[in-house]
Amino acid sequence: MSSLLEGKVALVTGAGHGIGRAHALELASHGATVVVNDLGSSVSGEGSGRDADEVVGIIAARGGKAIADYGDVGDEEQVEAMVAKAFDQFGHLDVVVNNAGIVRDRAVWNMSVQDFDLVMRVHVRGTWLASRAAAKRWRAIAKSDGGSVYGRIINTTSGAGLLGHFGQSNYGAAKAAIVGLTQTLSLELASIGVTVNAISPGGITRLSGTISGAEQVPEADERPEGEFDPKDPSLASPVVAWLASHEAAHVSGQVIRAMGEELSLMQGWTKRVTTTSGGKRWDATKLGAVMATDIFQTRAPGLRLGS
Ligand SMILES: NC(=O)c1ccc[n+]([C@@H]2O[C@H](COP(=O)([O-])OP(=O)(O)OC[C@H]3O[C@@H](n4cnc5c(N)ncnc54)[C@H](O)[C@@H]3O)[C@@H](O)[C@H]2O)c1
């Protein structure tokens, strides 16, 4: 067991399966005490269960410390309670990994308002609620101590949010919103020493299996050991552990994509090309030429295809 996160307490949402489960096991392997949250719902957000228990059991069997939480990240009271649980039982909370997620994929013409709302609720509202609950506590501590606190928020975006993905207008919008949330929270929380970053992970899980059609998906820790598997959903977990550590105190507002063997810094929405009107309003009837020559620098910019 490494001591990278010795003495730290981490909350990982949606840690009963897949990527979150791998994060929880990784954080515990570096000495963190983990609040393993999971609603135990299906991939599309139905039902509930005690899926967090198995992960708590694995951490305990490996000599680590963890407790389960079965709350829904979209529910304000339940989120306040999961954060309170960390403070009540361990005296502090240092790391929040917002990972819980569902998908309800359909082309936009077939997507119901319920499919849109539930995906936004789990991803965007869930990430915001857990971040807010921790931020309120951290701010109060920083104020009474007259300084800063140890605080790390690590959010989860996706290629669908960064680049777009057919059939995921709800999920892509939610995952893009998480990037905006990450950047805004990184500014707000910098004054109390809290960093806020996002990862864009990958790997075959029961969630991504719904897209690829894979039926039985083994959890990351059930895969054969030793061989490098580019679809292993635990490949982003070391990045989460590092971002959670003292070593990453200077890193905030960043989006890091960890897919297979690649680690990439993602940056978007910088001004690529700018032209000016010369101090007057644009004339829509003349904009076609300006767009083709100055902005797109081609008559056919084409679709921006995703990853
Ligand atoms: N698998 C991929 O390729 C991939 C790629 C990019 C991003 N992601 C993101 O990674 C995260 C984890 O996805 P995964 O692939 O491991 O899926 P998964 O289905 O294996 O795990 C998601 C977990 O979240 C839990 N959950 C769902 N709704 C919840 C709620 N309201 N409150 C608490 N827990 C809830 C589920 O019970 C489940 O255990 C998601 O945010 C997903 O969008 C996954």
Side-chain angles (χ1 to χ4, degrees):
M1 198 185 274
S2 103
S3 57
L4 190 66
L5 298 171
E6 200 57 58
K8 300 287 179 275
V9 178
L11 164 67
V12 184
T13 68
H17 294 281
I19 292 170
R21 171 176 169 135
H23 294 340
L25 297 177
E26 176 89 25
L27 295 176
S29 78
H30 295 290
T33 297
V34 185
V35 180
V36 178
N37 157 265
D38 204 285
L39 176 62
S41 68
S42 71
V43 171
S44 51
E46 287 109 356
S48 61
R50 305 217 148 195
D51 303 28
D53 288 345
E54 190 183 342
V55 180
V56 170
I58 297 171
I59 292 173
R62 293 180 182 175
K65 202 167 166 194
I67 56 167
D69 178 89
Y70 315 111
D72 170 3
V73 296
D75 182 289
E76 182 182 2
E77 262 179 40
Q78 293 178 37
V79 171
E80 293 288 333
M82 72 182 76
V83 167
K85 195 180 262 184
F87 280 93
D88 294 347
Q89 299 213 13
F90 308 115
H92 52 112
L93 173 67
D94 310 291
V95 180
V96 175
V97 183
N98 286 305
N99 163 84
I102 59 165
V103 284
R104 289 187 161 211
D105 297 354
R106 285 192 197 310
V108 70
W109 47 85
N110 288 327
M111 189 177 285
S112 69
V113 168
Q114 200 193 4
D115 291 338
F116 181 83
D117 286 347
L118 194 60
V119 166
M120 293 301 275
R121 182 177 192 272
V122 175
H123 290 275
V124 185
R125 183 179 157 102
T127 300
W128 184 80
L129 279 175
S131 301
R132 186 185 68 151
K136 284 191 296 185
R137 298 269 190 161
W138 288 333
R139 174 108 204 290
I141 296 167
K143 259 179 124 177
S144 68
D145 286 2
S148 57
V149 292
Y150 191 100
R152 303 277 187 271
I153 296 176
I154 299 149
N155 295 330
T156 309
T157 184
S158 148
L162 299 169
L163 304 158
H165 196 266
F166 188 98
Q168 294 194 313
S169 58
N170 50 1
Y171 181 80
K175 289 309 207 186
I178 286 172
V179 174
L181 181 57
T182 300
Q183 288 174 322
T184 301
L185 292 181
S186 73
L187 301 176
E188 293 186 359
L189 296 177
S191 62
I192 55 168
V194 173
T195 68
V196 188
N197 294 287
I199 56 150
S200 174
I204 295 291
T205 63
R206 53 179 218 162
L207 183 145
S208 55
T210 63
I211 303 166
S212 68
E215 277 182 9
Q216 278 294 321
V217 178
E219 301 288 0
D221 51 301
E222 294 165 355
R223 288 162 179 257
E225 254 182 68
E227 251 174 58
F228 179 78
D229 175 358
K231 297 207 157 60
D232 176 351
S234 77
L235 296 178
S237 300
V239 180
V240 170
W242 183 78
L243 285 171
S245 77
H246 276 286
E247 287 189 16
H250 59 295
V251 178
S252 198
Q254 304 299 325
V255 179
I256 297 178
R257 191 153 207 220
M259 297 274 285
E261 61 179 12
E262 282 185 10
L263 207 53
S264 313
L265 175 63
M266 303 299 285
Q267 288 184 340
W269 309 123
T270 52
K271 283 187 200 170
R272 279 265 294 278
V273 179
T274 303
T275 190
T276 58
S277 66
K280 48 187 196 282
R281 289 184 78 245
W282 295 108
D283 176 347
T285 64
K286 300 200 171 106
L287 263 185
V290 176
M291 290 292 183
T293 53
D294 296 344
I295 295 295
F296 297 125
Q297 298 169 357
T298 168
R299 283 202 176 274
L303 270 178
R304 282 169 47 116
L305 291 175
S307 55

